[in-house]
C-alpha cells in the first residue's frame, strides 16, 4: 500500500537517447537531477515494442503471454476477422490498479489517446479514468472536481500534437493538488518522437515541458516511477524514404495469392505518425507446407532481423500463441515491415519515418525519484516492473 | 540397384551462379546441353552449409540430425574438448555406399581432400576410396589397377589448387574406363570458388575442365547426378576487407571472460581459403542466465541474420542437439563470424574473402543427365536426395 502519492508515468516512444540528449543540452533540470542522484536505469520493454501491449504490461505487471494484448491489432483465429484489441474482452489479467482500488486506494488514470482508456480502466469502479483526447467528456464529478480543461487551463488538445501529452501531465498535477489520489498512472503519446529525433529543438522542448510538470509532482512529495512502452528509431533509407519491405507482396509472389495473410500489430486508427509501418509483423499461412518456404524467403530479406515460428516467438517474446501468426517477423533497426505498397498511405507522413515494434526499440528508461531497496542482484528489470519498484522497493529520496 | 554405372558428383562450393555464368559464357558445352535438355534444378543443402555435414548428408541421404556430422569441428560436451569431426566414431548413420556394397555393387569414392576420406569410406570393405591429396598412396591393387597418378597422367596435385578437383574427375574417368564400377562418388574442393567469383576467367576455365570430364563420363553411358555441398558468397565490406564480426570479443565484453565459448564449425586444417571465417557459429554458455542477454546482443548485430536456441536450431536446421551450441548464430549474406581478431590469420588470404556456412549459401544445383520419373509433386528436393534420384527416379536420357 502506498504511503505517499505514487505515480507511474509511461512516456510513449521514449527512446533513452531523448533523455540523454535533453540532459546534455541542459533542457531538463529535473531529469538532470534524477540522473545524478536518483534511480536511472534502462530496461527492456515487452515485445512487440508497441503501445498497447506495453501499457497493459505495465498496469498488469506481466508480459503479453499473461495479459493477452499482443498488439494494437490482431487476427482473431476464431472468426478470421482482423480486429482492434481495444476491447476489454481481450484482456486476460486483472490490473494492479484494479487490485489497489479494491484495497481502498484512490486511483487516477490519464491517457493521451482515448484508445487505451477502456483497457487501462478495466475493472475500476470508483476511480477517475479519462483521456486527453476526450478531455471535454471527462467526468470528474465522482471526486467533486469541475471540468478538467478548466482545471488545467487548456482546451482539449488536438490528437496529433505535443500538447496531447503535456495535457496528461498537467492534468495529473492538478489532480494531485486537488484530489489526493493514492495512485496515478499517466500515459503520454509519441507524436513528437515519431517526428523528431533525440536532441532536436522540438524534442528537447517537449521534454522540457514534461520536466517542469514532473518536477512539480516531485515537489508535492510523490514517488514517481517513469518508463516507456517502447523506443523509437529512424526507419529510412539513404534517400530519407521509408525503408520498408512489403511482406504481403513478397509472400504472394512466392506462394500465390490467398495463401498468406500479413497483419501489422502497429495498426491503429492513428496512422499519420507512421503509416502503419512498424518493425513487427505476423504472417498467417493457410497451409503447413508453405511454412518453410516462407521462413526462408523472409529471413533472406536484408530488412529482416528475425523470423520465428509461432511456438518460438511465443516462448522467446512471452506472447500468447493464439494471438500471433504462424510466423512472427522482426525488422532490422533501420527497417519497417508493410503489407502491400497500396496498403500504406505514406503521403500522410510529413517527416522522415521514425517507428518501432522490433528488438531495437525494446530498450527504454526505467527511472524512479527514490533510491531502490531489496532488488535481487540477478533480477533483470523490465519496464513492466515499474509498479513493483514504486510500491515495494522504495528507499529514501536522494538529496 | 543401378543398371548402368551411376555417378554422383559433389562440386564443392558450387554456387548456382557459377554454372549459369559459365553456360552464358559458352565455356561449358556439356552443362549447356544439360541445362537445355536434362534435369537442371536447384535444391537446398543441409545446414550448416559446410563441406563435411553436406558430404555426409549426400552419402547417407539424411540431414545432420540423423548422421551426426554437424560441422567440420565441434565442442564435445562430454569431454569439453573442441575436436575435428573427421573420425568415423562421430558418424551415426550407415552410408548408402555401404548398403550398396553389401548388395554386391562395386563402389569407388574419390575425394579431393583427405579429410573426408575416412567418413565417406566408412563401412566399405572391397571398394576403392582415396583422395587426390594423397593420390600417391591410393591403393587400387584390390581392383588390379596400377598407380592412379600414372593412370591419370598427373602428379599428386597441391592441396591448394584447382588441379586437386580436376584430378578427382579425371581419376573417376579412368576408373570408369578400366574398372567397371557400379557406383562412384566424386567430391571436389572449393579452392577456386573461395578465390574467384562466378563468371571470372578462372572460374569459367575451372568449370570448362570439369565439363570435359563430365562429358566423357556421360559418353561412356553413366547416369550422372550433380549437386554441391554449399554455395559461396563474397563476404567483404565496401573496402574489400573481410566483413567479419568477432563474437567471442563481443560476448566476453558483455558477459565477462570464460562465460561463453564460440566455436566455428567451418574450422578445418585447411584455412588458407577462408581464415576459418564462415557464416555459422555455435555459442556455448556456462550459465543459463546469460542466454537471453547473449541472444539480444547477437541479434542486434547488423552482420547477424539469425540467432536460435539449441532446440530451435535443432528443429529448424535438422541438427543434432548434442553437437551444437546453446545458441546457433547465422550471419548475413555478406558477413562472416569469427572468434577474436587474433584467432584469424587473415594474412593468408590472397583474394577478397568469399565464404559460406549460412542460409544464403544453402541453394545449390541439383542436376541429372536423365529425365526424372515419379517425383511426388509436393516433394521439396534437397541436395542429399541426389542418390535417391539417380538410383530410383531415372527416366530416359534426353536427346
Amino acid at each position: 500500500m502506498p504511503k505517499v502519492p505514487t505515480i507511474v508515468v509511461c512516456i510513449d516512444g521514449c527512446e533513452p537517447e531523448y533523455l540523454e540528449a535533453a540532459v546534455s543540452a541542459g533542457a531538463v533540470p529535473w531529469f538532470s537531477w534524477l540522473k545524478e542522484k536518483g534511480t536511472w536505469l534502462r530496461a527492456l520493454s515487452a515485445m512487440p515494442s508497441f503501445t498497447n501491449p506495453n501499457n497493459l504490461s505495465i498496469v498488469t505487471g506481466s508480459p503479453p503471454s499473461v495479459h493477452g494484448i499482443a498488439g494494437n491489432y490482431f487476427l482473431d483465429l476464431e472468426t478470421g476477422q482482423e480486429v482492434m484489441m481495444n476491447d476489454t474482452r481481450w484482456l486476460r489479467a486483472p490490473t494492479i490498479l484494479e487490485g489497489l482500488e479494491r484495497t481502498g486506494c484512490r486511483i487516477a488514470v490519464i491517457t493521451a489517446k482515448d484508445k487505451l482508456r477502456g483497457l487501462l480502466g478495466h475493472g475500476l469502479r470508483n476511480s477517475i479514468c479519462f483521456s486527453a483526447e476526450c478531455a471535454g467528456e471527462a467526468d470528474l464529478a465522482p471526486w467533486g472536481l469541475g471540468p478538467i480543461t478548466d482545471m488545467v487551463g487548456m482546451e482539449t488538445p488536438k490528437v496529433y500534437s505535443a500538447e496531447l501529452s503535456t495535457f496528461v501531465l498537467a492534468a495529473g498535477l492538478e489532480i494531485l493538488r486537488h484530489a489526493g489520489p493514492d495512485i496515478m498512472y499517466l500515459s503520454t503519446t509519441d507524436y513528437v518522437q515519431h517526428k523528431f529525433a533525440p536532441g532536436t529543438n522540438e524534442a528537447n522542448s517537449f521534454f522540457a515541458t514534461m520536466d517542469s510538470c514532473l518536477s512539480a509532482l516531485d515537489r508535492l512529495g510523490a514517488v514517481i516511477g517513469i518508463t516507456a512502452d517502447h523506443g523509437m528509431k529512424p526507419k529510412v533509407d539513404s534517400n530519407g524514404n521509408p525503408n520498408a519491405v512489403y511482406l504481403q507482396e513478397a509472400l504472394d509472389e512466392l506462394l500465390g495469392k490467398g495463401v498468406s495473410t500479413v497483419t501489422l500489430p502497429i495498426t491503429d486508427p492513428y496512422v499519420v505518425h507512421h503509416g502503419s509501418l512498424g518493425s513487427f509483423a505476423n504472417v498467417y499461412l493457410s497451409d503447413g507446407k508453405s511454412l518453410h518456404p516462407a521462413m526462408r524467403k523472409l529471413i533472406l530479406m536484408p530488412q529482416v532481423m528475425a523470423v520465428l515460428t509461432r511456438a518460438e516467438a511465443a516462448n522467446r517474446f512471452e506472447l500468447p500463441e493464439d494471438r500471433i501468426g504462424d510466423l512472427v517477423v522482426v525488422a532490422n533497426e533501420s527497417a519497417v515491415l508493410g503489407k502491400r505498397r497500396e496498403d500504406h498511405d505514406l503521403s500522410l507522413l510529413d517527416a522522415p519515418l521514425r517507428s518501432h515494434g522490433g528488438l531495437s526499440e525494446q530498450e527504454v528508461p526505467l527511472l524512479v525519484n527514490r533510491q531502490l531497496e531489496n532488488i535481487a542482484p540477478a533480477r533483470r528489470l523490465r519496464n513492466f516492473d515499474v509498479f513493483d519498484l514504486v510500491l515495494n522497493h522504495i528507499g529514501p529520496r536522494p538529496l
Side-chain angles (χ1 to χ4, degrees), chain A:
Chain A
M1 289 293 291
K3 295 188 191 69
V4 298
T6 296
I7 306 172
V8 167
V9 182
C10 175
I11 308 180
D12 193 5
C14 190
E15 179 70 27
E17 190 56 23
Y18 282 106
L19 294 178
E20 302 293 347
V23 165
S24 294
V28 287
W30 184 78
F31 278 115
S32 296
W33 163 80
L34 192 71
K35 182 175 180 180
E36 194 179 345
K37 307 277 192 175
T39 296
W40 185 272
L41 305 171
R42 294 190 185 190
L44 296 183
S45 79
M47 280 291 284
S49 49
F50 290 129
T51 295
N52 285 17
N54 273 282
N55 268 273
L56 273 296
S57 282
I58 292 168
V59 299
T60 63
S62 66
S65 53
V66 173
H67 65 65
I69 307 299
N72 303 339
Y73 196 78
F74 92 117
L75 183 66
D76 182 359
L77 292 176
E78 284 182 26
T79 64
Q81 299 295 307
E82 297 185 44
V83 290
M84 296 296 300
M85 286 180 102
N86 286 354
D87 197 287
T88 54
R89 71 193 164 107
W90 303 115
L91 189 59
R92 290 174 168 162
T95 72
I96 295 168
L97 301 168
E98 189 183 345
L100 286 165
E101 189 192 63
R102 213 173 302 126
T103 65
C105 286
R106 283 166 66 83
I107 316 266
V109 177
I110 314 177
T111 79
K113 291 182 184 169
D114 208 54
K115 70 171 176 177
L116 266 173
R117 192 181 42 83
L119 287 170
L120 295 177
H122 183 61
L124 297 180
R125 291 155 171 267
N126 313 310
S127 299
I128 283 179
C129 179
F130 65 92
S131 70
E133 180 182 358
C134 301
E137 299 158 29
D139 181 14
L140 281 61
W143 286 15
L145 298 176
I148 189 66
T149 45
D150 290 356
M151 291 173 70
V152 173
M154 285 170 74
E155 304 261 302
T156 298
K158 290 185 188 144
V159 69
Y160 294 112
S161 70
E163 290 71 33
L164 197 72
S165 293
T166 309
F167 192 97
V168 170
L169 292 179
L173 183 57
E174 293 310 312
I175 285 170
L176 182 62
R177 277 186 181 137
H178 298 110
D182 299 302
I183 297 281
M184 284 206 292
Y185 181 62
L186 309 177
S187 183
T188 69
T189 183
D190 55 6
Y191 168 81
V192 169
Q193 291 91 331
H194 271 290
K195 281 172 81 87
F196 302 108
T200 55
N201 288 341
E202 292 84 352
N204 285 348
S205 157
F206 176 68
F207 280 93
T209 307
M210 209 177 283
D211 186 81
S212 60
C213 289
L214 291 165
S215 172
L217 291 167
D218 184 30
R219 284 194 304 275
L220 292 171
V223 166
I224 308 174
I226 300 170
T227 191
D229 49 355
H230 56 77
M232 185 74 71
K233 291 282 182 357
K235 303 287 187 180
V236 290
D237 62 22
S238 52
N239 297 319
N241 296 319
N243 182 18
V245 60
Y246 295 96
L247 301 184
Q248 191 68 67
E249 291 180 9
L251 291 172
D252 283 355
E253 191 191 338
L254 178 72
L255 306 170
K257 289 211 176 192
V259 177
S260 67
T261 304
V262 174
T263 70
L264 304 175
I266 194 175
T267 307
D268 71 13
Y270 312 86
V271 300
V272 170
H273 327 21
H274 50 60
S276 288
L277 292 169
S279 296
F280 192 97
N282 288 303
V283 178
Y284 296 86
L285 297 167
S286 64
D287 62 50
K289 75 177 200 297
S290 301
L291 192 78
H292 279 93
M295 285 185 83
R296 185 173 167 75
K297 173 100 177 182
L298 294 167
I299 195 64
L300 290 174
M301 292 174 162
Q303 299 93 339
V304 168
M305 175 182 280
V307 181
L308 303 176
T309 63
R310 171 178 283 123
E312 289 171 353
N315 182 49
R316 202 189 284 185
F317 298 149
E318 302 170 284
L319 288 168
E321 284 211 15
D322 56 337
R323 294 188 180 170
I324 59 176
D326 294 292
L327 294 174
V328 160
V329 186
V330 183
N332 278 333
E333 180 166 331
S334 65
V336 285
L337 307 172
K339 291 184 177 183
R340 297 182 193 85
R341 274 173 194 80
E342 63 261 34
D343 294 324
H344 299 273
D345 183 359
L346 303 181
S347 68
L348 298 171
L349 289 174
D350 55 2
L353 182 63
R354 301 173 56 77
S355 195
H356 54 94
L359 289 160
S360 41
E361 297 85 34
Q362 210 189 355
E363 195 172 60
V364 292
L366 182 60
L367 320 176
V368 185
N369 68 341
R370 293 290 187 277
Q371 292 166 22
L372 294 183
E373 291 181 347
N374 304 320
I375 306 284
R379 183 168 172 186
R380 294 175 61 232
L381 291 170
R382 304 291 299 271
N383 67 341
F384 55 78
D385 289 322
V386 62
F387 268 109
D388 180 43
L389 298 184
V390 297
L391 290 170
N392 303 319
H393 296 280
I394 287 301
R397 185 177 187 286
L399 293 175

